[in-house]
Amino acid sequence: MNGRIAAANGRPEGRPSRQINVILRSQEPPVVSSAVPEKEPVPAQKNTAQHSLYQEIQKELDQLVGLDSIKEFVFEIYAMLQIAHMRQEAGLASGGHVYHMVFKGNPGTGKTTVARIIAKLFQKMGVLSKGHLIEVERADLVGEYIGHTAQKTRDLVKKALGGILFIDEAYSLARGGEKDFGKEAIDTLVKAMEDHKNQFILILAGYSEEIDFFLQTNPGLPSRFPIQVDFPDYTIDQLIQISELMAKERDYILMPQAILKLRQHLIQEKDHSEHAFSNARYVRNTIEKSIRNQAVRLLNHYSNSNPGKLELMTLRTEDFKLEAKGASGSLN
C-alpha cells in the first residue's frame, strides 16, 4: 500500500498532534505478465525425495580426502540435472545439455574415482541407463592395420553405451602425427559422439598441458567438451591422511615415527618430481611395499612363535625403505 501521513488541521509536521489523517493514493490492480508464471508451491515431500537421490553420492564424496573444488563441481552437476527435471515438469525447455568432459591433472589425483561417482549420479538422475564406467587407454583403441582402429574404437563405444567411456592419457592418441592410427581413433570417437548423442558420456583425462594440446589437434574437439575440470595435486598433509586411511582399510596402523619418515620422503618426492609425482597412487604403492617389508620382518623375527595382534597391525619406520630421488642413498 502506498500512502502518505500528514498532520491534522494543516499543522507543521514538526509539531505534535493527537490526530492524524492517512491519505491513500489510488492503486491500480497489479499486472501479471503472461511470460512469467506465478510461483507455485512445491510439495515438501517431493523435494525431500529428490534430494535423497544425492545422499549416496554425498557419502562417497565425503570419503575422499580434499578435492573440495571437485566436490562442488559434482554438486553443480546434480543441481543442474535436478533443476532441468523441474523445468521439464513445468513445461519449460530442459534439454540440449552436453555432458562430455575433460579431466586435467597429474596421476593419482582422483580422476577415475570421481568419474565412477559421476557415472552413478547420471544413472540415478536418469541421464544414463546403466551408469557403468569403461576405462581405456591408447592401446585399447589403436589397432595394428588400417580399419582395425575404427572397429576397436566402435566396439568400446558400444560397450560404454548407457555409461561413461573414460580415456586415460587421451593425448597419446595424437602423438603419432597425421599417419598414426591414433588420428583414426579420434575421428571415430567424434563420429560416435554424433551417432550416439545422449547415449554415453566421453571423458578425456590426462596432464593439463598435454590435454590442452590434444584438443587443438582436431578443430571440432574443444566445443564438444564444454565441461573441463582441473584436479589439483594433494598437499603433504592430505597425502599423510590418505596413507593412514589406506592402512586402516587393511587393518594396519602407522607408528608416529613412521608417519614422520613418510612425510619427509613425500616432501622430497614432490620437490624432485613435481610433474611426474603420482600423488595418492604413489602413497598406495608405498603403503603396499611397507606391508610386504613388515611381513618379511615379522617372519624373520618370530621364527619360533607367532606375533601378537597389535604387532601384526603395526607398520614401523624400518618397514618404510624409501628411496629418495635426486639424492644418493635412501631413507632407511
Side-chain angles (χ1 to χ4, degrees):
M1 180 175 69
N2 193 1
R4 178 168 55 90
I5 301 178
N9 302 324
R11 294 179 181 177
E13 293 182 359
R15 297 180 60 182
S17 173
R18 296 181 180 180
Q19 182 179 0
I20 60 173
N21 295 329
V22 179
I23 302 175
L24 299 178
R25 292 177 180 172
S26 61
Q27 281 188 305
E28 296 181 358
V31 177
V32 180
S33 171
S34 59
V36 182
E38 294 183 359
K39 185 177 179 181
E40 297 179 359
V42 179
Q45 287 185 343
K46 189 170 185 179
N47 275 344
T48 303
Q50 288 170 338
H51 289 303
S52 67
L53 293 173
Y54 192 72
Q55 289 181 355
E56 184 179 345
I57 301 297
Q58 183 70 55
K59 287 180 182 178
E60 292 192 45
L61 290 173
D62 288 342
Q63 293 175 4
L64 303 180
V65 174
L67 301 179
D68 291 341
S69 62
I70 306 302
K71 294 172 183 177
E72 290 178 4
F73 158 72
V74 175
F75 186 77
E76 287 175 5
I77 295 293
Y78 163 74
M80 183 176 67
L81 294 174
Q82 192 69 274
I83 294 301
H85 181 69
M86 295 179 185
R87 286 175 58 86
Q88 185 179 17
E89 289 187 335
L92 301 172
S94 60
H97 294 291
V98 178
Y99 300 110
H100 301 302
M101 308 178 191
V102 174
F103 284 2
K104 305 177 184 179
N106 287 332
T109 49
K111 296 187 292 294
T112 306
T113 301
V114 171
R116 288 196 180 95
I117 293 175
I118 288 177
K120 186 179 295 184
L121 172 62
F122 277 125
Q123 188 274 328
K124 285 181 173 293
M125 300 299 293
V127 176
L128 297 173
S129 59
K130 298 178 181 178
H132 62 301
L133 182 79
I134 302 294
E135 184 181 0
V136 300
E137 55 187 17
R138 176 188 166 92
D140 301 307
L141 296 165
V142 177
E144 300 175 356
Y145 50 85
I146 296 176
H148 190 205
T149 295
Q151 187 58 51
K152 289 182 70 175
T153 303
R154 283 194 295 266
D155 289 344
L156 286 169
V157 169
K158 186 176 180 180
K159 288 182 181 179
L161 292 181
I164 289 179
L165 180 60
F166 182 92
I167 304 180
D168 197 16
E169 298 183 355
Y171 46 79
S172 62
L173 293 172
R175 282 180 173 170
E178 287 293 324
K179 296 183 179 180
D180 184 71
F181 290 144
K183 184 178 182 300
E184 185 180 356
I186 297 172
D187 294 339
T188 305
L189 287 169
V190 170
K191 187 176 185 303
M193 293 166 72
E194 289 295 330
D195 295 344
H196 302 285
K197 209 167 189 177
N198 302 325
Q199 294 182 46
F200 80 107
I201 291 173
L202 180 60
I203 297 181
L204 307 180
Y207 293 109
S208 298
E209 293 181 4
E210 283 84 346
I211 280 289
D212 288 338
F213 174 78
F214 168 71
L215 291 175
Q216 301 305 317
T217 61
N218 188 310
L221 282 179
S223 61
R224 297 178 188 275
F225 294 91
I227 303 175
Q228 300 192 17
V229 187
D230 290 302
F231 284 71
D233 285 342
Y234 289 107
T235 66
I236 296 298
D237 287 339
Q238 289 170 345
L239 290 171
I240 291 298
Q241 187 179 350
I242 289 171
S243 68
E244 292 182 287
L245 287 173
M246 288 180 173
K248 184 179 180 181
E249 289 173 355
R250 296 164 173 79
D251 285 334
Y252 287 93
I253 55 175
L254 277 67
M255 294 294 288
Q257 298 88 341
I259 294 176
L260 179 60
K261 183 177 181 179
L262 178 59
R263 175 184 290 273
Q264 293 172 341
H265 175 71
L266 291 174
I267 292 173
Q268 291 183 356
E269 281 295 309
K270 290 199 72 173
D271 288 343
H272 288 97
S273 55
E274 182 177 357
H275 187 64
F277 184 66
S278 57
N279 288 274
R281 190 181 304 171
Y282 184 87
V283 168
R284 182 193 64 205
N285 293 339
T286 301
I287 291 295
E288 291 178 351
K289 185 177 180 181
S290 70
I291 289 174
R292 296 195 298 271
N293 293 335
Q294 185 239 35
V296 173
R297 174 175 61 82
L298 292 179
L299 202 61
N300 290 334
H301 186 75
Y302 293 91
S303 55
N304 298 320
S305 60
N306 293 334
K309 181 178 180 180
L310 183 60
E311 191 64 33
L312 288 169
M313 296 173 62
T314 304
L315 296 176
R316 304 183 180 278
T317 54
E318 54 266 38
D319 300 324
F320 287 86
K321 299 178 181 180
L322 306 170
E323 297 290 336
K325 288 186 179 180
S328 58
S330 59
L331 297 175
N332 288 328

